[in-house]
Amino acid sequence: VVLVEDDGETVLKAGDCAGFRAGVPNGHRLENRSTAEAVLLEVGTRPAASDACDYPDIDMILPAGSDRYHHRDGTPYPKHDRRT
């Protein structure tokens, strides 16, 4: 997968990891640019009720305490079953 951050891109291979310090504004995302399936493990310690996300490069936010993403105008994105 490719880690895309504000400062550029890094190819991550099997066994690699990336960390992000809380409170440091650094937009980031992971992209699978291959045709192979990628399996990722995300680990965090923040409680869901106080966790919020802001994606400054796209029209998406995750308000604190919400279980779904929203547009910046507050309209929720459709909810998808993650098991499919």
Side-chain angles (χ1 to χ4, degrees):
V1 296
V2 178
L3 169 61
V4 181
E5 298 179 274
D6 290 343
D7 294 334
E9 299 183 353
T10 304
V11 175
L12 299 177
K13 298 179 181 122
D16 287 348
C17 66
F20 306 97
R21 186 176 300 278
V24 176
N26 178 18
H28 56 275
R29 65 183 180 274
L30 294 167
E31 296 180 357
N32 182 0
R33 296 180 181 172
S34 76
T35 57
E37 183 175 297
V39 177
L40 305 170
L41 173 64
E42 180 179 343
V43 178
T45 58
R46 296 174 297 205
S50 64
D51 197 13
C53 297
D54 183 0
Y55 301 89
D57 55 337
I58 58 175
D59 178 30
M60 186 184 295
I61 59 172
L62 178 67
S66 180
D67 66 344
R68 62 196 296 188
Y69 294 100
H70 291 72
H71 295 274
R72 292 193 178 281
D73 69 2
T75 306
Y77 277 91
K79 194 165 187 179
H80 296 283
D81 185 351
R82 294 182 184 191
R83 293 172 285 175
T84 59

